[in-house]
Amino acid sequence: MNPRFLSFQTLRFALISVFFLMFTSLLNGQMETPDTSIELVPEVTSVAEGETFSIALHLEPKEGWHIYWINPGDAGYAPRIPAGWVHPENFTIGDLQFEAPHFVPFMDDMSYGYDDSTLFIADVVAPESFDGDVTISAKVEWLACDDSQCVPESGEVSITLPKGNGALDSEWHTRFNESRSVHPIAVDWISTFTSTETELVLDVEIPEASSLVHDVWFFPEAEKLIDHATEQTIHVSDGRIRIQTVSGVDYDKFDEFYALLQTVPDAESRSQSFRIHVTREDSLPSAEFTSSKTRTPWNFGGEEPSAVRAFLTAFLFAFLGGLVLNVMPCVLPILSLKALSVAELTGSDAKAANIAGWAYTAGVLLCFQVLAISLILLRTGGLELGWGFQLQDPIIVALLALLVVVVGFNFSGLFEIRGSFANLGGLTTKLTNMRGMGDFFTGLLAVLIASPCTVPGMSLAAGYALAQPWPLLLTIFLGLGIGFALPYLLVTLAPPIRKLLPKPGAWMDTFRKLLAFPLYGTAIWLVYVLGSQAGIMAVVTFLSIALITAFALWSWTKGRTSSKVSWFAVSGLGTAGIVAIFVWLPPVPTSATSIVAEFEWSVEEVERRHEEGKPIFAYFTADWCVSCKYNERFALKTNRVQRHFEENEFIVFVGDWTSYDADIKRELEKHGRAGVPLYLYYEPGGNINEPKVLPALLTARGVVRRTALK
C-alpha cells in the first residue's frame, strides 16, 4: 500500500487504517492508485471442487485517463502480472482475457486501449479436492496516461473465497457477461499476409454465414507490425476480405500472429470482433473484389462524409491554403517582385494591367499543375513523395538558388536588361519578345519557391489529393493555384484598387535595389538547404557557379555598352562553363542530419557537467509514452532544436523510464511529476536544484526560446 494514503500522525490512527485496508482487501481486493482504481473480483461466491470459475482484474481509470490493450499501438503497455498469480497448490489460472479495444488518439499518433471501467477476466480451474478457503493474489502493473503524461502504476490485489457449491455472484455475474459480450470471437478463418517495408496486406477467407463482415478494422496483437495511425483500405468480395495498410518498423519480424477484425459500430455503437490466426505467405491468391473502402482510425465508427462533400471540403481548404501561402515567410521575396509589378501598373492602361494579371495567374496555375502531374508520375513509379518534393533534389535546389541570385544581380544593377519590373528585371520579355511573359514566369517562380511552405489547410487538402485518382488530384491543385494567384489578379483587374497604390517615380529605382536583399536572403536559405542535402562541397561548387555567373553577366553588359565582341566572347565562355558544371557534375551523396550526442541521465553526471559550466537539457521519456514520442518527433529531434543544441554546446541527458528506475522516479517526484514526460533546462551558473521545467507539450520554437542562453 502506498504510504501517501496513510496518516502517521498517531499510532492509533495508523493501526486502524491498516486494519481497515486489510479487511476491505479480504472482501474484494480493492485499492486506489493516483489515476486508476483496481480490484480483484470473483464471479462466484464460493469455490466448488473440480469446477472452473472466473475472476477478473477490474481497472477503472479516472476521467481523462486511459489504460491499454494487448497491443498498445504507438505507445503504452497492457496490464500485466510479472511474477504470476499466487494461489493454493493444484489450482490453475489462465491468461488474462482482453475486451476488444477502443481507439486512443493523441495528436498524430494512435493507441489502443480503454478509458472506462474494464474487466480483464481469467479462468481458474479448481482441483478435485482441496481444504479450506481459497486465497488468490497478485501484484499487477499497468500504465495510465492522459493527454500530457503517462504514469506506470502497480498494486497488490487479493481475494479469499470459501469452499462451497460455486454459486454465482448475481451482481458480478452480470458484469462478467457484459465484458464477455465485447470479447473477440475466436474463429478458424483462413488468414494470410504479406509484408514489405512499405505495405502490409492481410487476406481473410470469410465463410458464407459471415458475409456481413465486410467493413472492419484490423487490430494486430503483434506490436509495431503496422503503422497504427494510417488508413486501412478494405477490399471485399464474396467470401474474402483483403486489407491494405502501411507497414510498421517490425513488419518482417513475424511469421504468424493473432489479430482482431472489428466491425464498424452500428447505430447503437455496437460492434463485433473476431480473433483470427494469421500466417505469412510469399504471395496472396489473385482475386477480384466487388467493393473497396478506405477507413482511418478517426472516421472508423462514424458516418463517412460523402465523396462530394469530402472533395468540396478539400477544394475549399486548398483555396484557403493558397491564399494564406501568399503571406508565408518563404514567399515574401516573391511578394517583393509582385509589389514592383503592382506599383508599375498604376501608370498603365487597363489592358496592360489585365494582361499582367492573367499572365501571372496562368504561370501560377501551370506550375501547380506541372507539380501535380510530376507527383502522379513519380508516385506511380513507386516513389513516396509529398508536397515540396522538388526541393528534395540538390540539382533543382541549386538551379532555383542560381535563378534567384541572377534576379538579385539584375535588381542590384550588376547587369541591365531594362523592362518591366514584373518580368524579372525585363529578362523574360527581352528573351521572348512577348507581352506578359515576365508576369507568367514570375508566377512560375513564385510557386516553385513557395512550394516548401505548408499551412494547415493546404496540408489537409494535399493529403486528400494524393490519395485520389489523378483527375481529382489535378482539380485540388487547381484550387490551390487559384487561391495563390487571386490577390494579385484582383489588383490587376480592379482599377479602384490600383488607384490606391503609389504613383510610379524615381523611388521605384531605389525600391528595386532594396528588393535585391530579400532575394539574396532567399538564395542563402536555398544554399543552406543544398548544404544540408549534399554537404559543404556542394555549397562551394554552387558559390563558384554563382561567381562565374556574375562575371559572365557583367561581361555581357560591358559588351553591350562598349560594342566589343571580346566581352561577349568572355560572357559566352562563362555561360558554357556553368552549363558544363551542371551537366558533368557527379552526383553528391546526401548527408544525414547531424544529431546531438545524448547521454544516459544520472544525478552524478548532471552535477559534474553543471560544474563545468555547460548548458544542460535533460528529458525523461519512455517507449510507451505517446506524448513523449510526439514531442521527440516534432520538437526535440527537429533540425531547429538540434542545431540550437549543437551551436550552444548543450549537454543532453536522457532518462529512459521504459523500465522502472527508482532514481528517475525520485527525480520526477522532485519536480512534481508522477510520470513522464519531464523536460529540464539547467542554465550555466544557475541553481542546479531549480532547473527550468518546460511544458509537457513541446514545440521546436518553444524549446529554443525557453533554453536560450543569456
Side-chain angles (χ1 to χ4, degrees):
M1 176 57 63
N2 193 320
R4 78 181 72 179
F5 295 103
L6 302 178
S7 171
F8 294 96
Q9 296 176 357
T10 67
L11 178 61
R12 178 171 178 267
F13 184 77
L15 291 174
I16 293 173
S17 299
V18 170
F19 176 81
F20 176 78
L21 290 171
M22 290 177 63
F23 178 76
T24 55
S25 178
L26 289 173
L27 288 179
N28 58 13
Q30 183 174 10
M31 67 174 297
E32 290 286 338
T33 63
D35 308 301
T36 316
S37 65
I38 180 173
E39 58 182 329
L40 183 60
V41 296
E43 191 179 10
V44 296
T45 58
S46 62
V47 180
E49 292 180 333
E51 298 292 333
T52 298
F53 64 98
S54 296
I55 59 175
L57 294 174
H58 177 211
L59 279 83
E60 186 168 0
K62 292 183 179 178
E63 185 176 356
W65 291 74
H66 52 265
I67 53 180
Y68 292 93
W69 183 56
I70 301 171
N71 175 5
D74 283 328
Y77 61 80
R80 58 198 183 193
I81 305 174
W85 296 96
V86 178
H87 54 76
E89 187 178 2
N90 296 327
F91 278 74
T92 302
I93 303 180
D95 295 333
L96 293 179
Q97 302 165 26
F98 286 74
E99 299 178 2
H102 309 298
F103 292 112
V104 183
F106 179 80
M107 299 295 187
D108 292 333
D109 293 324
M110 181 60 62
S111 295
Y112 307 141
Y114 319 94
D115 55 11
D116 53 12
S117 172
T118 306
L119 292 186
F120 299 88
I121 299 175
D123 292 331
V124 184
V125 180
E128 293 298 328
S129 64
F130 62 89
D131 296 324
D133 295 341
V134 177
T135 298
I136 300 174
S137 62
K139 182 177 181 180
V140 186
E141 297 178 353
W142 68 96
L143 183 71
C145 298
D146 66 1
D147 288 340
S148 62
Q149 63 178 322
C150 288
V151 181
E153 298 184 347
S154 63
E156 295 184 5
V157 292
S158 177
I159 56 170
T160 297
L161 295 170
K163 182 178 179 180
N165 60 4
L168 294 173
D169 183 301
S170 58
E171 180 181 351
W172 279 113
H173 177 56
T174 300
R175 182 66 181 84
F176 272 63
N177 283 340
E178 290 174 355
S179 177
R180 292 187 180 104
S181 70
V182 291
H183 281 188
I185 299 172
V187 293
D188 58 358
W189 301 343
I190 299 175
S191 307
T192 56
F193 81 105
T194 61
S195 63
T196 65
E197 188 174 353
T198 58
E199 183 182 59
L200 183 142
V201 183
L202 172 71
D203 186 84
V204 183
E205 295 184 21
I206 305 294
E208 183 177 349
S210 302
S211 59
L212 294 178
V213 181
H214 60 275
D215 192 357
V216 296
W217 189 264
F218 164 46
F219 290 94
E221 293 185 8
E223 296 186 35
K224 300 180 181 180
L225 177 66
I226 65 171
D227 186 335
H228 308 287
T230 56
E231 63 186 21
Q232 295 185 5
T233 300
I234 305 101
H235 305 284
V236 180
S237 66
D238 292 338
R240 185 179 299 276
I241 290 179
R242 185 165 293 177
I243 299 175
Q244 294 175 272
T245 190
V246 178
S247 297
V249 294
D250 289 346
Y251 71 93
D252 59 347
K253 292 187 178 180
F254 302 95
D255 290 326
E256 58 179 330
F257 59 89
Y258 283 94
L260 305 190
L261 295 179
Q262 183 170 317
T263 62
V264 65
D266 59 20
E268 298 180 1
S269 299
R270 295 175 304 185
S271 62
Q272 182 63 65
S273 298
F274 301 89
R275 189 169 188 253
I276 57 176
H277 179 246
V278 188
T279 57
R280 181 184 293 276
E281 294 290 343
D282 294 333
S283 61
L284 300 178
S286 59
E288 294 185 2
F289 297 97
T290 56
S291 65
S292 296
K293 179 175 293 186
T294 298
R295 289 283 196 177
T296 70
W298 285 271
N299 73 13
F300 186 79
E303 182 181 354
E304 284 191 290
S306 67
V308 174
R309 180 182 173 187
F311 167 76
L312 292 177
T313 301
F315 188 88
L316 176 61
F317 275 109
F319 173 77
L320 295 175
L323 284 175
V324 177
L325 199 59
N326 280 279
V327 295
M328 294 297 289
C330 54
V331 192
L332 287 178
I334 302 305
L335 291 181
S336 301
L337 291 174
K338 293 195 286 184
L340 279 173
S341 176
V342 171
E344 190 174 63
L345 288 175
T346 59
S348 304
D349 57 28
K351 182 178 180 181
N354 292 345
I355 290 175
W358 287 115
Y360 171 81
T361 301
V364 168
L365 297 182
L366 177 63
C367 195
F368 271 114
Q369 292 299 293
V370 169
L371 289 176
I373 293 171
S374 301
L375 265 175
I376 293 170
L377 295 177
L378 292 172
R379 287 169 68 89
T380 301
L383 297 178
E384 295 294 327
L385 299 175
W387 175 249
F389 72 95
Q390 68 277 12
L391 290 194
Q392 296 171 349
D393 187 323
I395 296 297
I396 294 179
V397 172
L399 287 171
L400 276 175
L402 186 62
L403 176 59
V404 173
V405 167
V406 168
V407 176
F409 286 162
N410 179 245
F411 276 31
S412 295
L414 177 68
F415 70 101
E416 294 293 335
I417 306 178
R418 290 299 182 183
S420 169
F421 289 142
N423 62 28
L424 306 183
L427 177 61
T428 53
T429 297
K430 288 293 183 181
L431 293 177
T432 62
N433 199 31
M434 292 178 63
R435 196 173 186 183
M437 282 303 294
D439 301 277
F440 176 80
F441 281 103
T442 300
L444 293 178
L445 180 64
V447 175
L448 288 175
I449 295 183
S451 58
C453 293
T454 302
V455 297
M458 192 179 74
S459 61
L460 185 150
Y464 168 85
L466 293 175
Q468 304 305 313
W470 68 265
L472 293 182
L473 188 150
L474 293 178
T475 306
I476 295 299
F477 273 71
L478 179 65
L480 191 57
I482 293 172
F484 188 68
L486 186 61
Y488 181 68
L489 181 62
L490 288 177
V491 171
T492 61
L493 297 181
I497 299 178
R498 294 203 307 274
K499 290 179 181 180
L500 298 176
L501 299 174
K503 295 182 179 180
W507 67 271
M508 293 183 66
D509 188 60
T510 302
F511 188 45
R512 172 178 181 241
K513 290 182 171 60
L514 181 64
L515 288 180
F517 293 100
L519 290 170
Y520 295 141
T522 302
I524 291 172
W525 168 66
L526 288 168
V527 172
Y528 165 75
V529 174
L530 178 65
S532 299
Q533 292 174 330
I536 187 62
M537 287 309 299
V539 174
V540 172
T541 302
F542 172 80
L543 294 176
S544 302
I545 291 173
L547 178 63
I548 297 172
T549 301
F551 182 72
L553 291 170
W554 176 76
S555 300
W556 183 71
T557 300
K558 289 288 292 182
R560 287 189 62 193
T561 55
S562 65
S563 300
K564 292 183 178 180
V565 178
S566 57
W567 285 113
F568 288 111
V570 171
S571 178
L573 288 174
T575 303
I578 296 169
V579 174
I581 291 174
F582 272 108
V583 171
W584 285 295
L585 187 68
V588 182
T590 58
S591 57
T593 304
S594 61
I595 301 296
V596 175
E598 296 180 340
F599 303 93
E600 184 178 353
W601 176 88
S602 72
V603 174
E604 295 77 13
E605 278 298 300
V606 171
E607 291 175 348
R608 185 177 72 82
R609 291 290 192 163
H610 189 264
E611 290 177 358
E612 295 175 357
K614 296 286 189 180
I616 295 173
F617 184 84
Y619 69 95
F620 298 84
T621 182
D623 290 344
W624 35 256
C625 173
V626 178
S627 55
C628 300
K629 298 308 172 187
Y630 183 89
N631 287 334
E632 290 162 29
R633 177 181 175 187
F634 292 102
L636 298 183
K637 302 300 183 182
T638 60
N639 289 336
R640 180 176 182 178
V641 172
Q642 291 292 305
R643 288 197 308 271
H644 170 67
F645 285 165
E646 189 174 37
E647 292 168 359
N648 293 285
E649 299 182 346
F650 269 74
I651 305 299
V652 180
F653 288 98
V654 182
D656 189 347
W657 208 29
T658 302
S659 298
Y660 179 80
D661 186 300
D663 291 336
I664 292 179
K665 180 176 177 59
R666 283 191 291 270
E667 189 70 16
L668 295 172
E669 292 177 344
K670 176 181 175 181
H671 299 286
R673 298 293 177 88
V676 289
L678 173 65
Y679 306 99
L680 303 176
Y681 167 50
Y682 297 84
E683 186 178 359
N687 186 345
I688 192 171
N689 294 317
E690 296 181 1
K692 181 184 292 186
V693 180
L694 276 65
L697 188 59
L698 300 178
T699 64
R701 179 176 178 273
V703 173
V704 172
R705 179 170 56 84
R706 293 172 185 271
T707 60
L709 300 182
K710 296 180 180 179

